[in-house]
Amino acid sequence: MFINGQWSDALNGETYPVTNPANGQVVDTVPSASREDVDVAVKAAQASLPGWAETSPDDRASLIRKGLQRVDEQADEIAELLTAEQGKPVFEAQGELHHFLHGMEFYAGLASKLRGAQVPLPPALGKHAYGLVLKRPVGVSVGIVPWNFPLTLMGTKVGPALIAGNPIIIKPARTTPLATLKIIGLLNEAGLPPGVLQCLTGAGNAVGESLILHPAVRRVALTGSTQTGRRVMQLAGTDFKRITLELGGSDPCIICPDANLKRAVSGVVVGRYWNAGQQCLAIKRLYVFEEVYDAFLQGLVEKVGNYRVGDGTTRPDKPFIRMGPLHTAQQREEVEGQLGDAVEKGAKVLVGGKRPDDPASPDGHYFEPAVVVDVPEDSRLATEEVFGPVLPIWKVKTLDEAIAKANRSLWGLGSSIWTQNISWANRALREIDAGVTWVNQIHYGYDELPFGGVKASGLGQEHGPEAVEYYVERKGAVFGGLDWE
Ligand code: NAD
């Protein structure tokens, strides 16, 4: 782990193995933090706070940039490590690392541009008084990260926390700590003061909960499931800790009769099957207008049928692998259970939906991407978050029907519409209950735009300059006038 400026074992010596989802082999062994380790790290963070808060924004940015350069120099090695622990193909891991670097650079650029406000005040209590809105660091922060995008989702917490003057402790998912540790080590080597950026490894219900409950922690950022979000909110609520919760989703996508079908098919394929469908922002429910239903499905099924599933550590001399294994055996069983339930209730699988006959390794969690139609509204595919490469599709007749169905969900994270009709696009932007709506675009979380969910998809936002607001406490200040008698 990385605690107070150095690599550390757990104080009680406990460790656990990290395994490769492609073949079940152990990639490395990491410490399993105890409550005592949490206490050491939080105290180190607390000690670093005054100094980091006083560090000039330019110096903060320059230290972050020096660290990013080191990360960039080792990009290939880090991407391979991410593939080995997470399962995504190397080219997707490289894409994720690039996204991490871009997001962190975005925040380094913002460091010197954070502003408060000066506010005119009524003269009743003295002329020439004015108000200020000061922004102060919120304090010791904790970032709890899931396994699907370990690096980008670490960056969306580290970047805004550090530039706003806060120390932050990262708790990666139990199964994906390796590339994260590597990056946190490199960022520290660039000269961050001890305690400013730390990493503790271990289970969420042990390390994560101890961090949240530690009295000196003031801010918790979770990206994870809706169930974990409820738990984190309860724990943090007792002491009114500041939280943001980026949780699950079941993004709808609407394909209109006038959509550019070729582009829409490509957009939906990336939107559903990237990262083996294990994305919060994946298209998890597809509504296609009846006029283009057959043509769209034909294009989609052909493309999905050509997907190659295999070990993500592809080299140029091996066949190109488009989709790696699912992250864990449990994850694959969950998706199989959801699909099986829909099929039992009458759904039809048009392509995929089973374990490959010739898996790259019998111990890999491989699963063929699936397209499913005639899906009953009460099936698990329709009502639960499907965190894997299975796409349920429904035929719709009108935009009213499509939007009503899109909104018939517990979640409200992303959403999209494919149409050339500006009025229809406008209706989707205004009427779909979601944190983001893309028009004729794939589901992608831009660093430049605020991003967060409504309903059971969470609370608060990451990305964009807006994310920094969740790492400061705004303080009202009044500067009295000079006309007291
Ligand atoms: P998860 O909730 O199981 O775990 C997420 C993180 O929380 C892990 O680090 C885990 O160790 C920790 N954790 C688990 N229980 C905890 C507890 N009681 N207290 C503190 N920490 C705890 O989620 P996952 O399976 O790793 O990730 C998949 C989920 O994350 C999906 O629901 C997905 O939609 C969601 N997700 C959301 C976003 C977003 O931005 N909204 C992005 C990616 C993933």
Side-chain angles (χ1 to χ4, degrees), residues 422-476:
I422 196 165
S423 307
W424 284 29
N426 199 15
R427 276 198 60 195
L429 294 180
R430 284 184 290 112
E431 294 177 29
I432 297 181
D433 299 329
V436 191
T437 300
W438 290 268
V439 179
N440 300 327
Q441 254 280 25
I442 59 165
H443 290 210
Y444 180 80
Y446 288 95
D447 295 312
E448 293 76 5
L449 277 177
F451 166 71
V454 300
K455 301 198 276 186
S457 290
L459 196 70
Q461 293 176 316
E462 291 194 339
H463 299 264
E466 288 80 359
V468 184
E469 293 300 314
Y470 295 93
Y471 286 90
V472 295
E473 294 285 10
R474 277 185 294 277
K475 181 177 191 178

Side-chain angles (χ1 to χ4, degrees), residues 144-149 153 171-175 202-210 212 222-229 231-232 235 245-249 278-281 284 331 385 387 413 451-453 457 462-463:
I144 303 178
V145 183
W147 49 260
N148 61 340
F149 291 103
L153 297 170
K171 209 300 280 172
R174 191 173 186 278
T175 48
N205 57 7
V207 190
E209 295 204 4
S210 299
I212 298 165
L222 166 79
T223 303
S225 64
T226 295
Q227 191 188 0
T228 304
R231 176 79 182 144
V232 168
L235 295 175
L245 303 171
E246 301 288 342
L247 308 178
Q278 303 162 126
Q279 315 176 64
C280 57
L281 282 179
K284 294 172 185 153
Q331 194 61 33
E385 177 178 30
F387 217 58
L413 198 56
F451 166 71
S457 290
E462 291 194 339
H463 299 264

